[in-house]
Coordinates of all heavy atoms in Angstrom, one line a residue:
M1 N 13.9 2.7 19.7 CA 13.5 1.7 18.7 C 12.0 1.8 18.5 O 11.3 1.9 19.5 CB 13.8 0.3 19.1 CG 13.4 -0.8 18.1 SD 14.1 -2.4 18.7 CE 12.9 -3.4 17.8
N2 N 11.6 1.8 17.3 CA 10.2 2.0 16.9 C 9.5 0.6 17.2 O 10.0 -0.4 17.0 CB 10.0 2.3 15.4 CG 10.5 3.8 15.2 OD1 10.4 4.6 16.0 ND2 10.9 4.0 14.0
N3 N 8.1 0.7 17.6 CA 7.4 -0.5 17.7 C 7.1 -1.0 16.2 O 7.0 -0.3 15.3 CB 6.0 -0.2 18.4 CG 6.3 0.2 19.9 OD1 7.1 -0.4 20.5 ND2 5.4 1.0 20.3
T4 N 6.9 -2.3 16.2 CA 6.7 -3.0 15.0 C 5.5 -3.9 15.0 O 4.9 -4.2 16.1 CB 7.9 -3.9 14.5 OG1 8.0 -4.9 15.6 CG2 9.1 -3.0 14.5
I5 N 4.9 -4.3 13.8 CA 3.8 -5.2 13.7 C 4.1 -6.1 12.5 O 4.7 -5.7 11.5 CB 2.5 -4.4 13.5 CG1 1.3 -5.3 13.5 CG2 2.6 -3.6 12.2 CD1 0.0 -4.5 13.6
N6 N 3.8 -7.4 12.7 CA 3.9 -8.3 11.7 C 2.6 -8.4 10.8 O 1.5 -8.4 11.3 CB 4.0 -9.8 12.4 CG 5.3 -9.9 13.1 OD1 6.4 -9.4 12.7 ND2 5.2 -10.6 14.4
V7 N 2.8 -8.4 9.5 CA 1.8 -8.4 8.6 C 2.0 -9.3 7.4 O 3.1 -9.6 7.2 CB 1.5 -6.9 8.1 CG1 1.1 -6.0 9.1 CG2 2.7 -6.4 7.3
S8 N 0.9 -9.7 6.8 CA 1.1 -10.4 5.5 C 0.7 -9.6 4.4 O -0.5 -9.0 4.4 CB 0.2 -11.6 5.6 OG 0.3 -12.4 4.3
I9 N 1.5 -9.3 3.4 CA 1.2 -8.6 2.1 C 1.4 -9.5 1.1 O 2.4 -10.0 0.7 CB 2.1 -7.3 2.1 CG1 2.1 -6.5 3.2 CG2 1.7 -6.6 0.8 CD1 3.1 -5.3 3.3
A10 N 0.2 -9.7 0.4 CA 0.2 -10.7 -0.8 C 0.8 -12.1 -0.3 O 1.6 -12.7 -1.1 CB 1.0 -10.1 -1.9
G11 N 0.5 -12.5 0.8 CA 0.8 -13.8 1.3 C 2.3 -13.9 1.8 O 2.7 -14.9 2.2
I12 N 3.1 -12.8 1.9 CA 4.4 -12.8 2.4 C 4.5 -12.0 3.7 O 3.9 -10.9 3.8 CB 5.3 -12.2 1.3 CG1 5.4 -13.0 0.1 CG2 6.9 -12.0 1.9 CD1 6.1 -12.4 -1.2
A13 N 5.1 -12.6 4.6 CA 5.2 -12.0 5.9 C 6.2 -11.0 6.0 O 7.3 -11.2 5.5 CB 5.5 -13.0 7.2
F14 N 5.8 -9.8 6.6 CA 6.8 -8.7 6.7 C 6.6 -8.1 8.2 O 5.6 -8.3 8.9 CB 6.5 -7.6 5.8 CG 6.7 -7.8 4.4 CD1 5.7 -8.2 3.5 CD2 8.0 -7.8 3.8 CE1 5.9 -8.6 2.1 CE2 8.2 -8.1 2.5 CZ 7.2 -8.4 1.7
I15 N 7.6 -7.4 8.6 CA 7.6 -6.7 9.9 C 7.6 -5.2 9.5 O 8.6 -4.7 8.9 CB 8.9 -7.1 10.7 CG1 8.9 -8.6 10.9 CG2 8.8 -6.3 12.1 CD1 10.2 -9.0 11.5
L16 N 6.6 -4.5 9.9 CA 6.6 -3.0 9.6 C 6.6 -2.2 10.8 O 6.1 -2.7 11.9 CB 5.2 -2.7 8.9 CG 5.2 -2.9 7.4 CD1 5.4 -4.2 6.9 CD2 3.8 -2.2 6.9
E17 N 7.2 -1.1 10.7 CA 7.2 -0.1 11.8 C 5.7 0.3 12.0 O 5.0 0.3 11.0 CB 8.0 1.1 11.5 CG 9.4 1.0 11.6 CD 10.2 2.4 11.2 OE1 9.5 3.3 10.7 OE2 11.4 2.3 11.5
N18 N 5.3 0.6 13.2 CA 3.9 1.0 13.4 C 3.4 2.1 12.4 O 2.3 2.0 11.9 CB 3.6 1.3 14.9 CG 3.3 0.1 15.7 OD1 3.3 -0.9 15.2 ND2 3.3 0.3 17.0
E19 N 4.2 3.1 12.3 CA 3.8 4.2 11.4 C 3.7 3.8 10.0 O 2.8 4.1 9.3 CB 4.9 5.3 11.5 CG 4.5 6.5 10.7 CD 5.5 7.7 10.7 OE1 6.5 7.6 11.4 OE2 5.2 8.6 9.9
G20 N 4.7 2.9 9.6 CA 4.6 2.4 8.1 C 3.3 1.5 8.0 O 2.6 1.6 6.9
Y21 N 3.0 0.7 9.0 CA 1.7 -0.1 8.9 C 0.5 0.9 8.8 O -0.4 0.7 7.9 CB 1.5 -0.9 10.2 CG 0.2 -1.6 10.3 CD1 -0.1 -2.8 9.5 CD2 -0.8 -1.1 11.1 CE1 -1.2 -3.3 9.6 CE2 -2.0 -1.7 11.2 CZ -2.3 -2.8 10.4 OH -3.5 -3.4 10.5
R22 N 0.5 2.0 9.6 CA -0.6 2.9 9.5 C -0.8 3.6 8.1 O -1.8 3.6 7.5 CB -0.5 4.0 10.5 CG -1.7 5.0 10.6 CD -1.4 6.1 11.6 NE -0.1 6.9 11.2 CZ 0.0 7.6 10.3 NH1 -0.9 7.9 9.4 NH2 1.1 8.3 10.1
L23 N 0.4 4.0 7.6 CA 0.4 4.5 6.3 C -0.1 3.5 5.2 O -0.9 3.9 4.4 CB 1.8 5.0 5.9 CG 2.4 6.1 6.7 CD1 3.9 6.2 6.4 CD2 1.7 7.5 6.2
L24 N 0.5 2.4 5.3 CA 0.0 1.3 4.3 C -1.4 1.0 4.4 O -2.1 0.9 3.4 CB 0.8 0.1 4.4 CG 0.7 -1.0 3.4 CD1 0.9 -0.5 1.9 CD2 1.6 -2.1 3.6
K25 N -1.9 0.8 5.7 CA -3.3 0.5 5.8 C -4.2 1.6 5.3 O -5.2 1.4 4.6 CB -3.6 0.2 7.3 CG -5.0 -0.1 7.5 CD -5.2 -0.4 9.0 CE -6.8 -0.7 9.3 NZ -7.0 -0.9 10.7
D26 N -3.9 2.9 5.6 CA -4.7 3.9 5.1 C -4.7 4.0 3.5 O -5.7 4.2 2.9 CB -4.1 5.3 5.6 CG -4.4 5.5 7.1 OD1 -5.2 4.7 7.7 OD2 -3.8 6.4 7.7
Y27 N -3.6 3.8 2.9 CA -3.4 3.7 1.5 C -4.2 2.6 0.9 O -5.0 2.8 -0.1 CB -1.8 3.5 1.1 CG -1.6 3.5 -0.3 CD1 -1.6 4.6 -1.1 CD2 -1.1 2.3 -0.9 CE1 -1.3 4.6 -2.4 CE2 -0.8 2.3 -2.3 CZ -0.8 3.4 -3.0 OH -0.6 3.3 -4.3
L28 N -4.2 1.4 1.5 CA -5.0 0.3 0.9 C -6.5 0.5 1.1 O -7.3 0.2 0.3 CB -4.5 -1.0 1.5 CG -3.1 -1.5 1.2 CD1 -2.6 -2.7 1.9 CD2 -3.0 -1.7 -0.3
V29 N -6.8 1.1 2.2 CA -8.3 1.4 2.4 C -8.7 2.5 1.4 O -9.8 2.4 0.8 CB -8.5 2.0 3.8 CG1 -9.9 2.6 4.0 CG2 -8.4 0.9 4.8
R30 N -7.9 3.4 1.0 CA -8.3 4.4 0.1 C -8.4 3.8 -1.3 O -9.4 4.1 -2.1 CB -7.2 5.5 -0.1 CG -7.2 6.5 1.1 CD -6.1 7.5 1.0 NE -6.2 8.4 -0.1 CZ -5.5 9.4 -0.3 NH1 -4.3 9.5 0.4 NH2 -5.6 10.2 -1.4
I31 N -7.6 2.8 -1.6 CA -7.8 2.1 -2.8 C -9.0 1.3 -2.9 O -9.8 1.3 -3.9 CB -6.5 1.1 -3.1 CG1 -5.4 2.0 -3.3 CG2 -6.8 0.2 -4.2 CD1 -4.0 1.2 -3.3
E32 N -9.3 0.6 -1.7 CA -10.5 -0.3 -1.6 C -11.7 0.6 -1.8 O -12.7 0.2 -2.5 CB -10.5 -1.0 -0.3 CG -11.7 -1.9 -0.1 CD -11.6 -2.7 1.1 OE1 -10.8 -2.2 2.1 OE2 -12.2 -3.8 1.2
V33 N -11.8 1.7 -1.1 CA -12.9 2.7 -1.3 C -13.0 3.2 -2.7 O -14.2 3.3 -3.3 CB -12.8 3.8 -0.3 CG1 -13.8 4.9 -0.6 CG2 -13.0 3.3 1.1
G34 N -11.9 3.5 -3.3 CA -11.9 4.1 -4.7 C -12.4 3.0 -5.7 O -13.1 3.5 -6.8
Y35 N -12.3 1.8 -5.5 CA -12.7 0.7 -6.5 C -13.9 -0.1 -5.9 O -14.3 -1.0 -6.6 CB -11.6 -0.3 -6.7 CG -10.5 0.3 -7.6 CD1 -9.4 0.7 -7.2 CD2 -10.7 0.3 -9.0 CE1 -8.4 1.3 -8.0 CE2 -9.8 0.9 -9.9 CZ -8.6 1.4 -9.4 OH -7.6 1.9 -10.2
K36 N -14.6 0.5 -4.9 CA -15.8 -0.1 -4.4 C -16.9 0.0 -5.6 O -17.0 1.0 -6.2 CB -16.3 0.7 -3.1 CG -17.5 0.0 -2.5 CD -17.8 0.6 -1.3 CE -18.9 -0.1 -0.6 NZ -19.2 0.5 0.7
G37 N -17.6 -1.1 -5.8 CA -18.5 -1.2 -6.8 C -18.0 -1.6 -8.1 O -18.7 -1.8 -9.1
N38 N -16.6 -1.6 -8.3 CA -16.0 -2.0 -9.5 C -15.9 -3.5 -9.5 O -15.3 -4.1 -8.5 CB -14.6 -1.4 -9.6 CG -13.8 -1.8 -10.9 OD1 -13.9 -2.9 -11.4 ND2 -13.1 -0.8 -11.5
P39 N -16.4 -4.2 -10.4 CA -16.3 -5.7 -10.4 C -14.9 -6.3 -10.3 O -14.7 -7.4 -9.9 CB -17.1 -6.2 -11.7 CG -17.3 -5.0 -12.5 CD -17.0 -3.8 -11.6
D40 N -14.1 -5.5 -10.8 CA -12.5 -5.9 -10.7 C -11.8 -5.4 -9.5 O -10.6 -5.6 -9.4 CB -11.8 -5.5 -12.0 CG -12.4 -6.1 -13.2 OD1 -12.8 -7.3 -13.2 OD2 -12.5 -5.5 -14.2
G41 N -12.5 -4.7 -8.6 CA -11.9 -4.0 -7.5 C -11.0 -4.9 -6.6 O -9.9 -4.5 -6.3
S42 N -11.4 -6.0 -6.2 CA -10.7 -6.9 -5.3 C -9.5 -7.5 -6.0 O -8.4 -7.7 -5.5 CB -11.5 -8.1 -4.8 OG -12.0 -8.9 -5.8
E43 N -9.6 -7.7 -7.4 CA -8.4 -8.2 -8.1 C -7.4 -7.1 -8.3 O -6.2 -7.3 -8.0 CB -8.9 -8.7 -9.5 CG -7.7 -9.2 -10.3 CD -8.1 -9.7 -11.6 OE1 -9.3 -9.8 -11.9 OE2 -7.3 -10.0 -12.5
I44 N -7.9 -5.9 -8.4 CA -7.0 -4.7 -8.5 C -6.2 -4.6 -7.2 O -5.0 -4.3 -7.1 CB -7.7 -3.4 -8.9 CG1 -8.3 -3.5 -10.4 CG2 -6.8 -2.2 -8.8 CD1 -9.3 -2.6 -10.8
L45 N -6.9 -4.6 -6.1 CA -6.3 -4.5 -4.8 C -5.3 -5.5 -4.6 O -4.1 -5.3 -4.1 CB -7.4 -4.5 -3.7 CG -6.9 -4.3 -2.3 CD1 -6.2 -2.9 -2.2 CD2 -8.1 -4.4 -1.3
S46 N -5.6 -6.8 -4.9 CA -4.7 -7.9 -4.8 C -3.4 -7.6 -5.6 O -2.3 -7.9 -5.2 CB -5.3 -9.2 -5.2 OG -6.3 -9.6 -4.3
D47 N -3.5 -7.1 -6.8 CA -2.4 -6.9 -7.8 C -1.6 -5.7 -7.1 O -0.3 -5.8 -7.2 CB -2.9 -6.4 -9.1 CG -3.5 -7.6 -9.9 OD1 -3.2 -8.8 -9.5 OD2 -4.2 -7.3 -10.9
I48 N -2.2 -4.8 -6.5 CA -1.4 -3.6 -5.9 C -0.7 -4.1 -4.6 O 0.5 -3.8 -4.5 CB -2.3 -2.5 -5.5 CG1 -2.9 -1.8 -6.8 CG2 -1.6 -1.5 -4.7 CD1 -4.0 -0.9 -6.7
E49 N -1.3 -5.0 -3.9 CA -0.7 -5.6 -2.7 C 0.5 -6.5 -3.2 O 1.6 -6.4 -2.6 CB -1.6 -6.5 -1.8 CG -2.6 -5.7 -1.1 CD -3.5 -6.5 -0.3 OE1 -3.3 -7.8 -0.4 OE2 -4.4 -6.0 0.4
A50 N 0.5 -7.2 -4.3 CA 1.6 -8.0 -4.9 C 2.7 -7.1 -5.3 O 3.8 -7.4 -5.0 CB 1.1 -8.8 -6.0
R51 N 2.3 -5.9 -5.8 CA 3.4 -5.0 -6.3 C 4.1 -4.4 -5.2 O 5.3 -4.1 -5.1 CB 2.8 -3.9 -7.2 CG 3.8 -3.0 -7.8 CD 4.8 -3.6 -8.6 NE 5.7 -2.5 -9.1 CZ 7.0 -2.7 -9.3 NH1 7.6 -3.8 -9.0 NH2 7.7 -1.7 -9.8
I52 N 3.3 -4.1 -4.1 CA 3.9 -3.5 -2.8 C 4.9 -4.6 -2.3 O 6.1 -4.2 -1.9 CB 2.9 -3.2 -1.8 CG1 2.1 -2.0 -2.3 CG2 3.5 -2.9 -0.5 CD1 0.8 -1.6 -1.6
S53 N 4.5 -5.8 -2.2 CA 5.4 -6.8 -1.7 C 6.7 -6.9 -2.6 O 7.8 -7.1 -2.0 CB 4.6 -8.1 -1.7 OG 5.4 -9.2 -1.3
E54 N 6.5 -6.9 -3.8 CA 7.6 -6.9 -4.7 C 8.6 -5.8 -4.6 O 9.8 -6.0 -4.6 CB 7.1 -7.0 -6.2 CG 8.1 -7.0 -7.3 CD 7.5 -7.0 -8.6 OE1 6.4 -7.6 -8.9 OE2 8.1 -6.4 -9.5
L55 N 8.1 -4.6 -4.4 CA 8.9 -3.4 -4.1 C 9.7 -3.4 -2.9 O 10.8 -3.1 -2.8 CB 8.1 -2.2 -4.2 CG 7.5 -1.8 -5.6 CD1 6.5 -0.7 -5.5 CD2 8.7 -1.4 -6.5
I56 N 9.1 -4.0 -1.9 CA 9.8 -4.2 -0.6 C 10.9 -5.2 -0.8 O 12.1 -5.0 -0.4 CB 8.8 -4.7 0.5 CG1 7.8 -3.6 0.9 CG2 9.7 -5.1 1.7 CD1 6.6 -4.0 1.8
L57 N 10.6 -6.4 -1.4 CA 11.6 -7.4 -1.6 C 12.7 -7.0 -2.5 O 13.8 -7.6 -2.5 CB 10.9 -8.7 -2.0 CG 10.0 -9.4 -1.0 CD1 9.3 -10.6 -1.6 CD2 10.8 -9.8 0.2
N58 N 12.5 -6.1 -3.4 CA 13.5 -5.6 -4.3 C 14.6 -4.8 -3.5 O 15.7 -4.7 -3.9 CB 13.0 -4.6 -5.4 CG 12.2 -5.3 -6.5 OD1 12.5 -6.6 -6.7 ND2 11.5 -4.7 -7.3
E59 N 14.2 -4.3 -2.3 CA 15.2 -3.5 -1.5 C 15.7 -4.2 -0.4 O 16.7 -3.8 0.2 CB 14.5 -2.2 -1.1 CG 14.1 -1.3 -2.3 CD 15.3 -0.6 -3.0 OE1 16.3 -0.3 -2.3 OE2 15.3 -0.5 -4.2
Q60 N 15.0 -5.2 0.2 CA 15.4 -5.9 1.4 C 14.8 -7.2 1.5 O 13.8 -7.5 0.8 CB 15.0 -5.0 2.6 CG 13.4 -4.8 2.7 CD 13.1 -3.9 3.8 OE1 13.2 -2.7 3.6 NE2 12.5 -4.4 4.9
D61 N 15.3 -7.9 2.6 CA 14.7 -9.2 2.8 C 13.4 -9.1 3.6 O 13.2 -8.1 4.3 CB 15.7 -10.2 3.6 CG 17.0 -10.4 3.0 OD1 16.9 -10.6 1.7 OD2 18.0 -10.5 3.5
A62 N 12.6 -10.1 3.6 CA 11.2 -10.0 4.3 C 11.4 -10.0 5.7 O 10.5 -9.5 6.4 CB 10.5 -11.2 3.8
D63 N 12.5 -10.4 6.3 CA 12.7 -10.5 7.8 C 13.4 -9.2 8.3 O 13.6 -9.2 9.5 CB 13.5 -11.8 8.2 CG 14.9 -11.8 7.6 OD1 15.2 -11.0 6.7 OD2 15.6 -12.8 7.9
T64 N 13.6 -8.2 7.4 CA 14.2 -7.0 7.8 C 12.9 -6.0 8.1 O 12.0 -6.0 7.3 CB 15.1 -6.4 6.8 OG1 16.1 -7.3 6.5 CG2 15.6 -5.1 7.2
V65 N 13.0 -5.2 9.1 CA 12.0 -4.3 9.4 C 11.8 -3.3 8.3 O 12.7 -2.6 7.8 CB 12.2 -3.5 10.7 CG1 11.1 -2.5 11.0 CG2 12.2 -4.6 11.9
V66 N 10.5 -3.1 7.8 CA 10.2 -2.3 6.8 C 9.9 -0.9 7.4 O 9.0 -0.7 8.2 CB 9.0 -2.7 5.9 CG1 8.7 -1.7 4.8 CG2 9.3 -4.1 5.3
T67 N 10.6 0.2 7.1 CA 10.4 1.5 7.7 C 9.3 2.2 7.1 O 8.9 2.0 6.0 CB 11.7 2.2 7.6 OG1 12.0 2.6 6.2 CG2 12.9 1.6 8.1
A68 N 8.8 3.1 7.9 CA 7.8 4.1 7.4 C 8.2 4.8 6.2 O 7.5 5.1 5.3 CB 7.3 5.0 8.5
E69 N 9.5 5.2 6.2 CA 10.0 5.9 5.1 C 10.0 5.0 3.7 O 9.7 5.5 2.6 CB 11.5 6.3 5.3 CG 12.1 7.2 4.3 CD 11.3 8.5 3.9 OE1 10.7 9.1 4.9 OE2 11.1 8.9 2.8
R70 N 10.3 3.8 3.8 CA 10.2 2.8 2.7 C 8.8 2.8 2.2 O 8.5 2.8 1.0 CB 10.7 1.5 3.2 CG 10.7 0.5 2.0 CD 11.8 0.8 1.0 NE 11.6 0.1 -0.1 CZ 11.3 0.6 -1.4 NH1 11.4 1.9 -1.6 NH2 11.2 -0.2 -2.5
I71 N 7.8 2.7 3.2 CA 6.4 2.7 2.8 C 6.0 4.0 2.0 O 5.4 4.0 1.1 CB 5.5 2.4 3.9 CG1 5.8 1.0 4.6 CG2 4.0 2.6 3.6 CD1 5.5 -0.1 3.7
R72 N 6.5 5.2 2.5 CA 6.2 6.4 1.9 C 6.8 6.4 0.5 O 6.2 6.9 -0.5 CB 6.8 7.5 2.7 CG 6.0 8.0 3.8 CD 6.6 9.3 4.4 NE 6.1 9.5 5.7 CZ 6.7 9.0 6.8 NH1 7.9 8.5 6.8 NH2 6.2 9.2 8.1
T73 N 8.0 5.9 0.3 CA 8.6 5.7 -1.1 C 7.7 4.9 -2.0 O 7.6 5.2 -3.1 CB 10.0 5.2 -0.9 OG1 10.8 6.1 -0.1 CG2 10.7 5.1 -2.3
I74 N 7.3 3.8 -1.5 CA 6.6 2.9 -2.3 C 5.3 3.5 -2.8 O 4.8 3.5 -3.9 CB 6.4 1.5 -1.6 CG1 7.6 0.8 -1.5 CG2 5.1 0.8 -2.2 CD1 7.5 -0.4 -0.6
I75 N 4.5 4.2 -1.8 CA 3.3 4.9 -2.0 C 3.5 6.0 -3.1 O 2.8 6.2 -4.0 CB 2.7 5.5 -0.7 CG1 2.1 4.3 0.1 CG2 1.5 6.4 -1.1 CD1 1.6 4.7 1.5
G76 N 4.7 6.6 -3.0 CA 5.0 7.7 -4.0 C 5.3 7.1 -5.4 O 4.9 7.7 -6.4
Q77 N 5.9 5.9 -5.4 CA 6.2 5.2 -6.7 C 4.8 4.8 -7.3 O 4.7 4.9 -8.6 CB 7.0 4.0 -6.5 CG 8.5 4.3 -6.2 CD 9.3 3.0 -6.1 OE1 9.1 2.5 -4.9 NE2 9.9 2.5 -7.0
L78 N 3.9 4.3 -6.5 CA 2.6 3.7 -7.1 C 1.7 4.8 -7.3 O 0.7 4.8 -8.3 CB 2.0 2.7 -6.1 CG 2.9 1.5 -6.0 CD1 2.2 0.6 -4.8 CD2 3.1 0.7 -7.2
G79 N 1.8 5.9 -6.6 CA 0.8 7.1 -6.8 C -0.4 6.9 -5.9 O -0.7 5.8 -5.4
L80 N -1.2 8.0 -5.8 CA -2.3 8.0 -4.9 C -3.5 7.5 -5.7 O -3.7 7.9 -6.9 CB -2.6 9.3 -4.3 CG -1.4 9.8 -3.5 CD1 -1.7 11.3 -3.0 CD2 -1.3 9.0 -2.2
P81 N -4.4 6.7 -5.1 CA -5.6 6.3 -5.7 C -6.5 7.4 -6.4 O -7.2 7.1 -7.3 CB -6.3 5.4 -4.8 CG -5.7 5.6 -3.4 CD -4.3 6.4 -3.7
D82 N -6.5 8.5 -5.7 CA -7.3 9.6 -6.2 C -6.9 9.9 -7.6 O -7.9 10.2 -8.4 CB -7.3 10.8 -5.3 CG -7.6 10.5 -3.9 OD1 -8.3 9.5 -3.6 OD2 -7.2 11.3 -3.0
R83 N -5.8 10.0 -8.0 CA -5.3 10.2 -9.3 C -5.8 9.1 -10.3 O -6.1 9.4 -11.4 CB -3.8 10.4 -9.4 CG -3.3 11.6 -8.7 CD -1.8 11.9 -9.0 NE -1.0 10.7 -9.0 CZ 0.2 10.6 -8.9 NH1 0.9 11.6 -8.5 NH2 0.9 9.5 -9.0
W84 N -5.6 7.8 -9.9 CA -6.0 6.7 -10.7 C -7.5 6.8 -11.0 O -8.0 6.6 -12.1 CB -5.7 5.4 -10.1 CG -4.4 5.1 -9.5 CD1 -3.3 5.7 -9.9 CD2 -4.1 4.2 -8.5 NE1 -2.2 5.2 -9.2 CE2 -2.8 4.3 -8.3 CE3 -4.9 3.4 -7.8 CZ2 -2.1 3.4 -7.4 CZ3 -4.3 2.5 -6.8 CH2 -2.9 2.6 -6.7
C85 N -8.2 7.0 -9.9 CA -9.7 7.1 -10.1 C -10.2 8.2 -11.0 O -11.2 8.0 -11.8 CB -10.3 7.1 -8.7 SG -10.2 5.7 -7.7
A86 N -9.5 9.3 -11.0 CA -9.9 10.4 -11.9 C -9.7 10.0 -13.3 O -10.4 10.3 -14.2 CB -9.1 11.6 -11.5
A87 N -8.6 9.2 -13.5 CA -8.3 8.9 -14.9 C -9.1 7.6 -15.4 O -9.3 7.5 -16.5 CB -6.8 8.6 -15.0
K88 N -9.4 6.7 -14.4 CA -10.0 5.5 -14.8 C -11.5 5.3 -14.4 O -12.1 4.3 -14.7 CB -9.2 4.4 -14.2 CG -7.8 4.3 -14.8 CD -7.0 3.1 -14.3 CE -5.6 3.2 -14.8 NZ -4.8 2.0 -14.4
G89 N -12.1 6.3 -13.8 CA -13.4 6.2 -13.5 C -13.8 5.3 -12.4 O -14.8 4.5 -12.5
C90 N -13.1 5.4 -11.3 CA -13.5 4.5 -10.1 C -14.8 5.1 -9.5 O -15.3 6.1 -9.9 CB -12.4 4.6 -9.1 SG -10.7 4.0 -9.7
A91 N -15.1 4.6 -8.3 CA -16.3 5.0 -7.7 C -16.0 6.5 -7.2 O -14.9 6.9 -7.0 CB -16.5 4.2 -6.4
S92 N -17.1 7.2 -7.1 CA -16.9 8.7 -6.8 C -16.3 8.8 -5.5 O -16.6 8.0 -4.6 CB -18.3 9.3 -6.8 OG -18.9 9.2 -8.1
S93 N -15.4 9.8 -5.4 CA -14.8 10.1 -4.0 C -15.5 11.4 -3.5 O -16.2 12.1 -4.3 CB -13.3 10.3 -4.1 OG -13.0 11.5 -4.9
S94 N -15.2 11.6 -2.3 CA -15.9 12.9 -1.6 C -15.3 14.1 -2.0 O -15.8 15.2 -1.9 CB -15.9 12.7 -0.1 OG -14.6 12.5 0.4
S95 N -14.0 14.0 -2.5 CA -13.3 15.2 -2.9 C -13.6 15.7 -4.4 O -13.9 14.8 -5.2 CB -11.8 15.2 -2.8 OG -11.3 14.2 -3.6
T96 N -13.8 16.9 -4.6 CA -14.0 17.4 -6.0 C -12.9 18.4 -6.4 O -12.4 19.1 -5.5 CB -15.3 18.2 -6.1 OG1 -15.4 19.2 -5.0 CG2 -16.6 17.2 -5.8
P97 N -12.6 18.5 -7.6 CA -11.5 19.4 -8.1 C -11.7 20.8 -8.0 O -12.9 21.2 -8.0 CB -11.2 18.9 -9.5 CG -12.2 18.0 -9.9 CD -13.1 17.5 -8.7

């Protein structure tokens, strides 16, 4: 059995596998960094967290463990922030094309 961690995503309590938590945390940090300096950055991050919560609840109850695979699927659905930032002019990232 995988270790789990209790988290709140958009104000809803979830239980995530440790690997899923790490993936989600890294993803949200990338978004936060990408929108740093954008006056709407915190609102955008909150909206993305709300969408993540919604996508989890579309597939399962909040009291069911969210697997790392489910988090990977959600990240795949939402896309990587590097792509958004290239299209929408977020803060500069360290990678160049």
